[in-house]
Amino acid sequence: MDTRTSASDHRQGEVVLDTFPRYLMHHAQHRPQQPAMREKAYGIWQTYTWAQVAENVRAIACGLAQLGFKRGDRLAVVGDNRPRLYWSVAACQCLGGIPVMMYQDAVAQEMAYVLQDAEIRFAVVEDQEQVDKMLEILPDAPMLEHVIYDDPRGMRHYTQTLLMGLDELQEMGRIHDRNQPDFLDGEMDKGASDDISIMLYTSGTTGKPKGVCQTHGAFIAAARGAIQFDKLTDKEDILSYLPMAWVGDHLFSFAQATVAGFTINCPESGETVMNDLREIGPTYYFAPPRVFENLLTQVMIRMEDAGSLKRKIFHHFMDVARRCGADILDGKPVSGGDRFQYWLGNLLVYGPLKNVLGMSRIRVAYTAGAAIGPDLFRFYRSIGINLKQLYGQTETCAYVCLQPDGQIKLDSVGKPAPFVEVKLADNGEILVKGPMLLKAYYKRPDATAESINAEGYFMTGDAGFFDEDGHLKIIDRAKDVGKMADGTMFAPNYIENKLKFFQHVKEAVTFGNGKAFVTAFINIDLEAVGNWAEKRGLAYSGYTDLAQQDAVYGLLRECVEKVNADLAADPNMSGSQIKYFLILHKELDADDGELTRTRKVRRNFIAEKYGVLIDALFEGKKSQYIETQVKYEDGRTGKVSAELRIEEAKTFAPQAGKQAA
Amino acid sequence: MNMTDTNSSSTAAASAPGRRQGEVILDLQNISLRFGGVKALTDISFNIREHEVRAIIGPNGAGKSSMLNVINGVYHPQEGRIMFRGEERKKMEPHVAAQQGIARTFQNIALFKGMSVLDNIMTGRNLRMKCNIFQQALWLGPALREEIAHREKVEEIVDFLEIQHIRKTPVGALPYGLQKRVDLGRALAMEPQILLLDEPMAGMNVEEKQDMCRFILDISDQFGTTIVLIEHDMGVVMDISDRVVVLDYGKKIGDGTPHEVRNNQDVINAYLGSGH
């Protein structure tokens, strides 16, 4: 039995180990028959127990070793959330290698960069699509020696010698394991807490992506902290559907799951996530705000189509929930009448709604990655879903601040998490220290030195402050915070988020640094605005056409003016009201480099690409012609052009005292 | 036309010469079909080899669908012989053709609109169900086991055609391209030896066409099914078929590989009009 607990203490049953492979073997020994993973295949959920997972990981690890994988080698892992890809990550760690996670929707050139940067010899990929990309970039990545694929479909006629099926690899590994049964245990024994357990590439809002090297110790600390904080157990069920290359998925679906022993559920395909969510009914759930937003938009659209009685019942009880739902969840005192109404509402509306959303069993849900709209956040909490926010970066294992149960504030990200120390620099930048900090950026000592200061604090680049209860509030990226011509603060993200909280706005980019007023680009949400247009009998042929319609401009002007009214109420922000705006003729897209893969706006790139439009906005023109190159999903390029209208929005006089109450 | 980048390699593999074509499975000899005084098909001969993708093309009214209907026994030609696996085929009904392993999809989708995708594909298993109506009605042991086995097969098709997300959706609520895919799934559920596709890509957008091409090639690859298709999109035909037969006004004017057909003067005239 594995009792290596070198950096360890046994506290009320918590087993503390120092590497992930040891956790895996621990579970395989102590709860061999418990479900570790489920995957829906051929319409039925197939369960893998911890013993089966351990056996499969062993086979993959030994297979890789047979192919010549050495300690410290990097293994690229590309694909959707499939059990065998998670096993490959674990297998790589068993051998002392470093898994390098790559986004499955990245185009070939982006992958080529990572393969070169991390000098990758081995890759495990999901299917034919990813194999094709690997073969395409092979000339640019000459170090690549082996590409192993999970799904053999369509692979029959590939003759390249560097290709191998995962089945074959496992078979090879089993033979290797039979011949040298001590080999893998020996390799696992060499593992140490300080070894790099994973490399995650930062999305690169600026410059080329950097490989963030995290150690076993860092991710285990982050996982343990969160598990203690929310009292998570091995009974949790989670749905793993976010990109494996995102730090959030790695923390929840790999680190926390391996440490606490959750059951991971892999959906059947990207399109079936909603269904799978309902079937699994996770107890612990993590999603970026846009997922929660999409869910709510779908519910609202469907409610609008419902009969008038149903609509009345829905709206009545949603009002009740808005009034007292969040307080009931937080355990605050609520009058008996409201409690009864809420109970009734739960019977008629919230319960069925949660069931439809697949959230009936949720004990704790988290959101992170971007700011979440107050209405959105309040909605989920008011129907009794314990949705909380967390704050963190890839460099901190997505683990800096967590909102404690019962102390939820809409606009803060909570208190520093266990083991984490947070302080503010003089310019408001948030500095973080703790066991979960990155070891280094891969082969970038300069970048590492730049991001960690002399006292060992990681400089997050975010600006924020602590409120009176010690909750951290984030305003913006520190470097994005600028000044208007009159010297007042300009926080573009802050304004954009306010815009994006309207269901009709999908994306927004604001400009105003060093200028007299603020202007904005807006992307409409095709689904929401399309539905709105349909209701009014507006005909449109597509995004570009819809975006330029008078009525749509009218609709968006209302949104902008509401934001302006809101900004006017805040003494710090009243100077940055939006004076001119336009609706872009195309959706901002990661394929065109305008967004990062995690859908964050790449401000500088956009400013450069659409310079003409920005100039026109600040010159107060009525319209501007623009032609843009776009990249389609199959890699071809095309052109979109349009004459874009520019509209003026009402601004408001600062009214500090009036709305503050 | 060039196919998508993503499946160009499989396309290349698929049209590799001499790889797939097996024995002649269906030989049509001097087929003539008349409706009263109208000659739909006149003296047409061609054969279909096992495992190949065989396209029938031609302008509107050339007799393509009639040809397909002759193959699966809906029409009975007045003249000519049909040899199926070396034996002359007697005059027969479509369900006999179905039992012999000939499945088809329809130009105008023929599905049960109110039923789910699963149930629609399950109807394709009908011929393979062994239990009688009483066993099925009473849900006796053998019927239950059989249903499970059939459902498994259906799930394989769902997985193959990547339609997991619409498994339980009524077919009528689906967009056209997906309905076509379900129609294909229903035909596949028969585990046919010959699959007849009547304009599988009609009315589809580029992306849907590319998907359909990939599925057709995958069917041919993975199941070895012989495929006969009628299609208007020349790019598609030239890309995915091994051999092409060209009809015009009920007569055969060309037969051969896509390359040969493309350079055939009669075919060029039929499509572009001869310069008279």
Side-chain angles (χ1 to χ4, degrees), chain A residues 132 153 156-157 268 634, chain B residues 5-6 9 160 164 167 221:
Chain A
D132 283 344
R153 175 165 178 197
R156 188 183 300 187
H157 302 296
E268 197 167 15
D634 60 5
Chain B
D5 295 335
T6 48
S9 38
F160 181 83
Q164 296 97 334
R167 216 183 248 131
D221 250 18

Side-chain angles (χ1 to χ4, degrees), chain B residues 88-159:
Chain B
E88 180 165 355
R89 204 164 83 172
K90 302 279 164 353
K91 189 170 177 176
M92 65 170 179
E93 297 302 313
H95 71 267
V96 183
Q99 277 163 0
Q100 287 186 347
I102 301 179
R104 72 170 293 181
T105 67
F106 297 86
Q107 194 173 347
N108 309 311
I109 298 163
L111 294 166
F112 301 97
K113 301 264 183 221
M115 276 166 39
S116 72
V117 169
L118 273 184
D119 290 340
N120 266 289
I121 298 178
M122 195 61 120
T123 58
R125 302 293 299 169
N126 188 23
L127 275 177
R128 302 200 167 255
M129 295 190 181
K130 300 283 181 294
C131 293
N132 62 42
I133 189 165
F134 297 108
Q135 286 172 311
Q136 288 181 354
L138 294 172
W139 200 246
L140 293 171
L144 187 65
R145 279 196 295 279
E146 190 179 33
E147 166 114 11
I148 291 172
H150 285 305
R151 172 66 191 269
E152 214 170 284
K153 189 72 203 167
V154 169
E155 279 295 343
E156 277 171 32
I157 291 165
V158 166
D159 183 66

Side-chain angles (χ1 to χ4, degrees), chain A residues 327-393:
Chain A
D327 287 345
I328 289 175
L329 188 64
D330 286 344
K332 290 180 185 153
V334 173
S335 76
D338 273 353
R339 264 185 203 280
F340 174 72
Q341 285 248 32
Y342 190 83
W343 174 81
L344 203 60
N346 198 28
L347 217 59
L348 292 171
V349 179
Y350 325 135
L353 180 60
K354 279 192 280 189
N355 193 25
V356 165
L357 294 171
M359 297 185 175
S360 299
R361 295 207 303 154
I362 283 183
R363 287 205 303 117
V364 185
Y366 273 107
T367 184
I372 184 164
D375 288 343
L376 189 64
F377 193 60
R378 213 175 285 131
F379 170 83
Y380 284 99
R381 290 196 61 81
S382 71
I383 62 168
I385 293 166
N386 188 14
L387 177 61
K388 307 198 285 182
Q389 298 183 59
L390 62 81
Y391 168 70
Q393 298 77 11

Side-chain angles (χ1 to χ4, degrees), chain A residues 172-243:
Chain A
M172 220 166 77
R174 289 193 179 101
I175 295 167
H176 181 279
D177 200 19
R178 264 200 298 280
N179 295 339
Q180 306 176 49
D182 299 331
F183 166 78
L184 194 66
D185 295 319
E187 287 300 313
M188 280 193 267
D189 276 344
K190 289 185 208 158
S193 167
D194 200 32
D195 286 351
I196 294 167
S197 73
I198 191 96
M199 237 165 99
L200 299 164
Y201 273 78
T202 55
S203 45
T205 5
T206 49
K208 284 279 183 193
K210 296 187 288 267
V212 177
C213 301
Q214 290 287 10
T215 62
H216 288 272
F219 257 113
I220 287 174
R224 280 183 52 218
I227 290 164
Q228 284 171 18
F229 191 81
D230 284 311
K231 301 179 188 61
L232 303 169
T233 66
D234 60 349
K235 300 283 183 296
E236 312 301 336
D237 256 309
I238 58 171
L239 189 73
S240 303
Y241 66 101
L242 296 164

Side-chain angles (χ1 to χ4, degrees), chain B residues 30 44 56 60 65 96 99-100 114 124 134 162 166 212 225 257:
Chain B
N30 310 98
I44 291 178
I56 303 177
N60 284 332
S65 290
V96 183
Q99 277 163 0
Q100 287 186 347
F134 297 108
E162 295 165 11
I166 51 165
M212 191 53 99
T225 312
T257 63

